[in-house]
Amino acid sequence: MPTGPDPVTADHPATDRPAAADRLPLRRRLLPVLALLLLAPWAAECSWGGFAIDDFLPVLIFLGPMYGGAAILIRETARHLGAGWPTIVLLAAAFGVLQAGLVDQSLFNPGYLDDTQYADTRAAAEATLVPGLDFSLRQAFDYVGNHIVLTICAPIVLVESFLRPERRQRPWLGRPGLAVVGVIYLLGSLLIFSDSSGRKGFLASPLQLAFAAVLVFALVAVALLPRWRRALPRRSRRVPHPLWVGLLIVLVRFGADLTPGWPGVAIALSLAAAVGGLIAYWSSGSGWGQRHVLVAGTAGLVTAAAFAYLVPPYSPASPAAALAGDIAVTVITVALVGGAWWRLRRASPAVHVAAG
């Protein structure tokens, strides 16, 4: 039964949140912004073993404006609107389609990975080509899903978990700051679009570009629906321990990769929808707190880091450099997730993810 309004949004309605950013000192607002700017590209490209350790810094420099800028803009848009995680996830999906469909166009380029150590995945990708649009639905699920989980959600969850409860749901930037980040993101995306190692000289067909653009606009439109901004009542129901939530997500991640071809895509989509619905159900309970959010948001990151030892980097690297990168990924992931958990070790107020 309902137990009352959302404890986070009840005291800070959506109309008051933009003003909240102005009441915090600039230094305190910029620190989490900078953290997110650096964490997003690392989580997107390094956390799963995509680069050896000597490439970590170039990844942060060249991909930070695009990945980090997107993560900041998505987080700030949701918090300024007074919306919750459904808005963040939908905007993250829109970014994933925008990135893979319009910026680097890896979604439509069948030879995108041919110059990497993942060239042998092309045959498996072509087994799930969508007729007429000529893109692999399996790759689309992986590309967009990884952007949702690794590029956007995990970094936001981690940074917010290090903050005090009253700051997690509030904006960090005002309009001038958002404008600056927007320019940084656009310049970073333009760099990837024009660079030979970004789009790799490929240009999708007008039909493919139109399809991607329409899908991006549709996802953004759904993300901005007013329903995600309503404070929903919490319900008296039991929720599992955060670690059980994380274990479920890890098992679903494994299950999504077990079967190739169209059956595998169907299984992956079904599992993703099921776990998303289950988390939405649990999150409406009064016992759902920030530690649940932390585990749910970083389970994919932890899984990626664990399997970094089993996958090669994009470009050939010495065994020592590759192993050093994998060890660094483990240390960084444990430090971030463990540090955030330690930060939340004291009982914190339940934080509703606005699942309704």
Side-chain angles (χ1 to χ4, degrees), residues 50-120:
F51 288 91
I53 191 168
D54 50 353
D55 290 325
F56 280 15
L57 184 58
V59 166
L60 299 184
I61 293 174
F62 291 105
L63 298 182
M66 181 177 63
Y67 287 150
I72 294 167
L73 290 174
I74 288 171
R75 191 265 174 197
E76 289 298 287
T77 297
R79 298 316 185 198
H80 273 272
L81 292 174
W85 281 100
T87 292
I88 292 176
V89 171
L90 287 166
L91 290 177
F95 165 73
V97 176
L98 176 66
Q99 173 63 29
L102 299 176
V103 179
D104 64 31
Q105 301 185 17
S106 55
L107 182 61
F108 302 116
N109 184 355
Y112 188 79
L113 297 176
D114 285 356
D115 59 348
T116 73
Q117 296 196 89
Y118 292 89
D120 58 353

Side-chain angles (χ1 to χ4, degrees), residues 140-165:
F141 178 84
D142 291 338
Y143 289 167
V144 177
N146 284 337
H147 279 308
I148 293 173
V149 174
L150 297 180
T151 310
I152 306 299
C153 290
I156 292 175
V157 166
L158 282 168
V159 175
E160 288 190 344
S161 294
F162 277 98
L163 301 177
R164 294 199 305 270

Side-chain angles (χ1 to χ4, degrees), residues 12 28 163-170:
H12 305 286
R28 294 180 61 192
L163 301 177
R164 294 199 305 270
E166 65 271 15
R167 292 193 60 200
R168 291 178 195 140
Q169 310 296 312
R170 292 184 176 181

